[in-house]
Amino acid sequence: EMCPVRIVAIKYKFDPCLKGVEQKTNVGPLQFVNLIMNAKYVITNSFHGTAFSLLFEKNFITIRPMVFAGRLDSLLNLFCLVDRIVDKDDDIKKLEVPIDYEKVRQKIDEFRNKSVLFLRENLV
């Protein structure tokens, strides 16, 4: 027996048009991270939603926001995942395309090692 699908939307204010969606407002950092960590799929329009989806190796798509899209483009470009950015009219089926998280892990490790080396060399 399959469990029913639980859809959670993090919203600034309640939207009565979202039927069948559990809406959460006033979500703090811990709850935000926890929701992403425990999600099967993530659809986000935020930099932090995208970053945590990468860190927790979630299958995700990022809807291009009206503002501040540049840093999302930069982040996903670092991991060769710009194809995960969709416009509102694009097909949600990109969620079904798996992400090669081995490559993402390698890049994260590379950035982490460069950062640690920088800190060691400059915090004497």
Side-chain angles (χ1 to χ4, degrees):
E1 182 180 326
M2 290 185 46
C3 296
V5 174
R6 178 176 171 226
I7 301 172
V8 179
I10 300 171
K11 306 284 289 176
Y12 288 110
K13 61 182 181 179
F14 184 80
D15 183 349
C17 295
L18 287 179
K19 304 277 189 238
V21 175
E22 182 181 336
Q23 296 182 58
K24 297 201 176 276
T25 57
N26 297 325
V27 172
L30 186 61
Q31 189 178 20
F32 179 83
V33 170
N34 199 32
L35 283 166
I36 293 174
M37 185 173 64
N38 291 300
K40 182 167 183 169
Y41 299 103
V42 176
I43 301 172
T44 184
N45 66 350
S46 77
F47 176 85
H48 290 95
T50 302
F52 283 113
S53 294
L54 284 166
L55 289 171
F56 295 131
E57 301 187 5
K58 298 299 171 181
N59 219 11
F60 72 95
I61 54 174
T62 299
I63 298 170
R64 185 182 305 280
M66 302 284 264
V67 293
F68 305 121
R71 64 186 190 157
L72 274 168
D73 292 335
S74 296
L75 175 66
L76 292 174
N77 194 38
L78 286 172
F79 297 100
C80 301
L81 290 172
V82 289
D83 62 321
R84 303 313 281 198
I85 298 176
V86 299
D87 292 309
K88 291 185 192 291
D89 297 326
D90 280 350
D91 198 349
I92 199 167
K93 289 187 190 240
K94 284 188 180 182
L95 272 177
E96 297 171 6
V97 178
I99 296 170
D100 183 353
Y101 272 107
E102 182 57 38
K103 288 181 180 177
V104 172
R105 270 185 248 116
Q106 289 172 1
K107 273 286 195 201
I108 289 174
D109 287 343
E110 180 184 319
F111 292 132
R112 185 177 288 128
N113 291 337
K114 284 181 183 176
S115 298
V116 168
L117 185 62
F118 175 83
L119 289 171
R120 284 190 178 138
E121 291 175 351
N122 292 285
L123 293 177
V124 182

